[in-house]
Amino acid sequence: MGRGQRWNPVNLRNLRLAFGLSPEGFAERVGSVSASTVRRWESGRHVPTIHHLEAIADAFDIDLAVFFEP
């Protein structure tokens, strides 16, 4: 991501809700992550690694930029 772009946890939660998934269902779809990790990401307590962001983008067929704000 370019300069000035930050992780926005609200975007992850909105994605999960748009697909009608619980944190458990989201974690299962992404794989290699737990529901508690998804909750920590959504709360902003933790930031996903680029590996996890790529796995999420692949699982939902979206662009990585969805997760960042200018």
Side-chain angles (χ1 to χ4, degrees):
M1 297 295 106
R3 254 184 163 196
Q5 293 179 320
R6 297 181 299 157
W7 162 248
N8 186 348
V10 172
N11 293 344
L12 180 70
R13 184 171 192 273
N14 289 341
L15 174 69
R16 178 178 63 76
L17 293 175
F19 280 85
L21 296 171
S22 65
E24 292 79 10
F26 188 90
E28 185 176 317
R29 183 161 176 175
V30 173
S32 74
V33 63
S34 68
S36 61
T37 296
V38 172
R39 288 185 195 96
R40 285 191 292 268
W41 291 341
E42 289 182 357
S43 72
R45 288 182 295 185
H46 290 126
V47 176
T49 65
I50 191 66
H51 169 77
H52 285 124
L53 289 175
E54 289 171 340
I56 295 166
D58 288 345
F60 292 92
D61 194 30
I62 58 171
D63 191 272
L64 283 175
V66 167
F67 300 113
F68 295 87
E69 62 184 3

